[in-house]
Amino acid sequence: QVHVSYFTSISRQNEFETSSDSVIPLFAVTYFLAINISILSCLRLDCVRTKVWVAMSGVVSAGMAVLASFGLLLFCGMPFAMTVATAPFLILGVGVDDMFIMISCWQKTEVHKDVELRLAETYKEAGVSITITTLTDVLAFYIGLMTPFRSVQSFCMYTSTALLFCYIFNITFFGACLALNGQREKGNRHWLTCMKLPEATGDDRGCCVGGAYDKNTHKEFEMPIDSFFKNYYGPFLTRVWVKALVCLIYAGYLAVSIYGCFQMQEGLDLKHLAADGSYVGSYYDKEDEFFSAFGPNVMLVIKDEDFQYWNQTARKSLDLCLENFQNLTVADSGISPISWLSVYMQFGLSAGLNLDNETQFKSHLTAFLNLSGFSQDVNFSNNQIHASRMFIQTVNIRTAIEEKNMLDAFRETAEKCGKLQTPVGLIVYHPAFIYFDQYAVIITNTIQNLAVATCVMLVISLLLIPNPLCSLWVTFAIASVIVGVAGFMALWDVSLDSVSMINLVICIGFSVDFSAHISYAYVSSEKSSANEKAMDAVTKLGYPIIQGAMSTVAGVVVLAAAESYIFRTFFKIMFLVILFGAVHGIIFIPVFLTFLSACSNSHERNQENLPEPTDTSEQ
């Protein structure tokens, strides 16, 4: 029985297209999940106060952002790389986050006020927060355009534009839906039938009454989970021994993350570019099993049209050049180069031809190429050799570092060939070089992108959060989440390549989201002590952060079932980003902010300097 594994020059391209098509059905599942999670988290037992339609409009808003941005960029001729197929999953999760913040702020307004005033207060509370996160996310992706990788550029362009549309639709379309829903609530109408209902008194519940609210605060009743954050979680988190424990846990998290960073592998296994079970994967597996001692069969292209193959001096120069390649540690000196020229010279010797003569050399060349099977190796037309190629077999190349070193060694040797007494203009090429090339710049490029993006985030935080120290804490949170994601990513068998590089850029935007929300809530809190401010911030934003984290994870969780390594990697890193971002937002950052008396006193100092408000100014 014979097992044949095969591979062609277009196999990888075909597999890319197949992988992209395989995630399209998953998008329907994601949309279904996002709608359900949004509705369930906004559901109330009160038939008037329930936010079903608002939740639906939030998901529709995110969907419209994807359609509008993709439509615009495709119309403008922007290339749609395979990596862009993951963007809609991400946008759906992020777009819904801002919706939760706005709904949370709406619920904290007084129900008897006019809809216009309630909406104004909602925008006042949520506006800065969602503007910070949108700005940081969009800029994080636009900074990704600095990378030399086209696939990363394409992904960043599509995602940043979609996030921009997401923000525009949230503050226009979604705000309008919130206002319409407010009009319905004001008229005490049923969420489904819009029939006017008698107002609920006390704790009345049922489908025939609704519109209950807290008579003391004139606001909607708190959600049970909001009460949990206010009455249990906040006081618990601000205890001295809990703070000490949080610091200890953080030290452990940092230690494991830094250890993971030192374990990080660089490079992309080429079989991961194909879907699971693909014939390409089988081919690479068999190649590793039986031919692992051999590396790529590298092509040496003589690009000089004026090179005189019939000239003895020129041939000696070429032989010396080939010898230099053979002597490289990554080449096997026992395997001779595959050279059409040396076979042709032997053919001429046995046939009694004088191949040192240009006319004789050219007149017999076509017949020789057709007989010998070298016709693909020489571009011979109009009685001139435009270019030709030879092959050198490489050996013992297993890791990404060895692949990068081999590529560098071959390019240096080719450069030296061009400086011989009789120069030989050479190009070295192999289809896999396009992947080896990224190893040379991936680490420096990733660090550059992360550093620039973090600085930009710091500037935005300083502009929009009214306290420099708290802005530094936001920047610290970014750095902390990046280190965590990079470390745990390595421990979860994800290598550093152009795919994971995209996700690390995303990491910056998302790590800002949660920490910026909490820091802004802390700074703008009117409570007096640092502990009370932290409790107030966690009470206001604890549940929206959890909602946002759940919706974003729901947006990408279906990619865990994808048949492609690229999409599974996207899920793994996004999961880590959201998990660590949320943990920083509701555990680490609130605790660390309580250690900074400067942050907690800034508001009090500002209050002292303000004049006493009159009735008119209050109004």
Side-chain angles (χ1 to χ4, degrees):
Q1 193 176 6
V2 177
H3 292 279
V4 177
S5 296
Y6 60 97
F7 184 87
T8 71
S9 56
I10 59 166
S11 291
R12 211 175 283 118
Q13 181 63 35
N14 290 342
E15 286 301 307
F16 272 155
E17 289 164 9
T18 308
S19 294
S20 298
D21 294 344
S22 70
V23 296
I24 292 170
L26 297 177
F27 190 62
V29 180
T30 304
Y31 217 81
F32 177 76
L33 270 175
I35 289 173
N36 280 289
I37 286 174
S38 302
I39 289 174
L40 286 171
S41 63
C42 296
L43 209 56
R44 309 284 182 277
L45 294 173
D46 189 304
C47 296
V48 173
R49 301 290 174 210
T50 191
K51 305 283 189 290
V52 173
W53 294 118
V54 178
M56 286 278 284
S57 64
V59 180
V60 169
S61 173
M64 290 197 314
V66 171
L67 286 173
S69 57
F70 279 35
L72 175 67
L73 289 172
L74 288 168
F75 179 75
C76 294
M78 185 72 190
F80 188 92
M82 176 192 174
T83 45
V84 179
T86 56
F89 298 91
L90 186 63
I91 304 305
L92 205 52
V94 180
V96 174
D97 288 3
D98 289 347
M99 171 191 87
F100 289 134
I101 301 282
M102 288 181 73
I103 290 175
S104 174
C105 293
W106 171 270
Q107 285 166 187
K108 289 176 175 60
T109 58
E110 294 179 17
V111 295
H112 287 313
K113 286 185 177 178
D114 288 340
V115 173
E116 291 89 343
L117 285 172
R118 291 188 74 184
L119 200 61
E121 284 177 22
T122 301
Y123 277 114
K124 179 189 167 187
E125 283 293 316
V128 175
S129 229
I130 65 172
T131 303
I132 290 174
T133 55
T134 303
L135 262 177
T136 50
D137 286 350
V138 168
L139 280 171
F141 286 115
Y142 277 133
I143 286 163
L145 294 172
M146 289 164 41
T147 177
F149 303 115
R150 292 288 180 85
S151 59
V152 178
Q153 287 175 359
S154 182
F155 176 85
C156 289
M157 191 67 193
Y158 274 91
T159 313
S160 52
T161 310
L163 284 170
L164 216 48
F165 272 98
C166 225
Y167 175 71
I168 293 165
F169 283 133
N170 262 330
I171 60 173
T172 53
F173 171 78
F174 179 70
C177 293
L178 203 55
L180 288 171
N181 188 70
Q183 295 285 10
R184 180 189 61 75
E185 284 184 20
K186 193 172 177 63
N188 217 61
R189 296 180 182 278
H190 193 279
W191 70 272
L192 184 61
T193 62
C194 286
M195 298 285 285
K196 203 167 178 64
L197 297 177
E199 192 173 315
T201 53
D203 292 330
D204 288 352
R205 294 285 186 271
C207 59
C208 298
V209 291
Y213 62 92
D214 190 324
K215 303 292 182 188
N216 298 321
T217 61
H218 299 290
K219 296 174 183 177
E220 291 182 31
F221 281 113
E222 284 182 340
M223 295 279 290
I225 195 155
D226 284 332
S227 304
F228 163 76
F229 277 106
K230 184 178 181 179
N231 302 324
Y232 301 102
Y233 181 75
F236 173 76
L237 194 65
T238 48
R239 288 179 185 170
V240 176
W241 69 270
V242 175
K243 287 185 190 179
L245 182 64
V246 166
C247 291
L248 203 63
I249 292 168
Y250 181 74
Y253 155 82
L254 213 55
V256 174
S257 302
I258 291 167
Y259 168 76
C261 287
F262 284 107
Q263 305 304 308
M264 188 176 286
Q265 297 295 314
E266 191 189 341
L268 179 67
D269 191 338
L270 294 182
K271 74 175 179 186
H272 286 153
L273 296 171
D276 299 346
S278 157
Y279 69 90
V280 172
S282 164
Y283 170 82
Y284 279 123
D285 286 339
K286 295 294 183 214
E287 190 178 48
D288 288 345
E289 187 180 345
F290 299 112
F291 303 102
S292 59
F294 299 99
N297 200 15
V298 180
M299 190 189 299
L300 310 179
V301 180
I302 302 168
K303 58 181 181 176
D304 187 359
E305 288 190 358
D306 300 321
F307 188 78
Q308 298 179 351
Y309 296 88
W310 51 89
N311 187 306
Q312 280 190 351
T313 313
R315 282 205 305 273
K316 276 180 188 171
S317 196
L318 180 58
D319 289 340
L320 178 63
C321 191
L322 291 175
E323 197 179 315
N324 290 342
F325 279 105
Q326 285 289 91
N327 292 336
L328 291 173
T329 52
V330 290
D332 190 343
S333 54
I335 302 173
S336 299
I338 300 170
S339 167
W340 67 271
L341 186 59
S342 58
V343 176
Y344 187 36
M345 297 314 292
Q346 287 167 13
F347 166 77
L349 202 63
S350 59
L353 302 171
N354 178 20
L355 295 182
D356 293 342
N357 177 281
E358 182 181 353
T359 310
Q360 290 241 11
F361 186 95
K362 288 181 176 177
S363 61
H364 295 95
L365 184 57
T366 305
F368 163 75
L369 292 174
N370 292 333
L371 286 170
S372 61
F374 282 112
S375 57
Q376 296 290 320
D377 291 355
V378 184
N379 182 353
F380 181 57
S381 60
N382 299 326
N383 206 36
Q384 187 178 4
I385 300 173
H386 299 286
S388 73
R389 66 179 181 181
M390 289 149 194
F391 293 91
I392 299 275
Q393 181 61 54
T394 58
V395 287
N396 301 323
I397 294 165
R398 290 181 174 85
T399 67
I401 302 298
E402 287 170 349
E403 286 168 345
K404 182 178 81 172
N405 292 342
M406 179 269 287
L407 182 56
D408 289 342
F410 265 74
R411 283 181 175 162
E412 281 170 22
T413 310
E415 204 175 312
K416 285 175 187 170
C417 289
K419 293 173 182 174
L420 293 172
Q421 196 169 2
T422 307
V424 183
L426 280 180
I427 298 173
V428 290
Y429 177 75
H430 186 272
F433 280 5
I434 192 171
Y435 305 103
F436 298 172
D437 256 333
Q438 69 175 319
Y439 308 150
V441 293
I442 193 79
I443 291 181
T444 52
N445 218 264
T446 305
I447 292 169
Q448 172 197 311
N449 279 0
L450 294 179
V452 172
T454 307
C455 292
V456 171
M457 301 309 127
L458 175 59
V459 171
I460 291 171
S461 304
L462 284 167
L463 289 172
L464 296 175
I465 297 176
N467 187 290
L469 264 175
C470 289
S471 300
L472 286 171
W473 273 109
V474 171
T475 314
F476 159 78
I478 297 169
S480 176
V481 173
I482 289 168
V483 171
V485 170
F488 281 82
M489 171 182 106
L491 298 173
W492 204 354
D493 293 329
V494 177
S495 303
L496 180 64
D497 52 48
S498 56
V499 177
S500 49
M501 179 186 171
I502 290 174
N503 297 297
L504 283 172
V505 173
I506 294 172
C507 181
I508 299 166
F510 283 91
S511 53
V512 172
D513 283 10
F514 301 122
S515 52
H517 287 317
I518 282 288
S519 299
Y520 184 74
Y522 180 91
V523 172
S524 56
S525 171
E526 293 177 5
K527 303 290 183 187
S528 54
S529 72
N531 279 352
E532 285 175 342
K533 280 174 174 286
M535 285 160 63
D536 189 40
V538 167
T539 304
K540 278 182 185 172
L541 290 170
Y543 186 42
I545 282 176
I546 287 174
Q547 281 178 310
M550 282 174 61
S551 67
T552 309
V553 169
V556 295
V557 73
V558 290
L559 292 177
E563 293 181 350
S564 169
Y565 163 84
I566 289 175
F567 297 123
R568 285 198 302 274
T569 298
F570 187 83
F571 160 72
K572 284 181 181 180
I573 299 182
M574 279 308 303
F575 177 76
L576 290 174
V577 170
I578 300 303
L579 175 67
F580 293 153
V583 167
H584 275 72
I586 58 175
I587 299 175
F588 296 146
I589 297 296
V591 168
F592 296 156
L593 284 171
T594 60
F595 299 146
L596 284 179
S597 56
C599 276
S600 55
N601 293 336
S602 63
H603 189 80
E604 294 158 43
R605 284 198 295 271
N606 291 344
Q607 288 294 328
E608 286 167 16
N609 297 334
L610 290 175
E612 284 294 313
T614 61
D615 289 344
T616 321
S617 68
E618 275 181 329
Q619 189 178 346

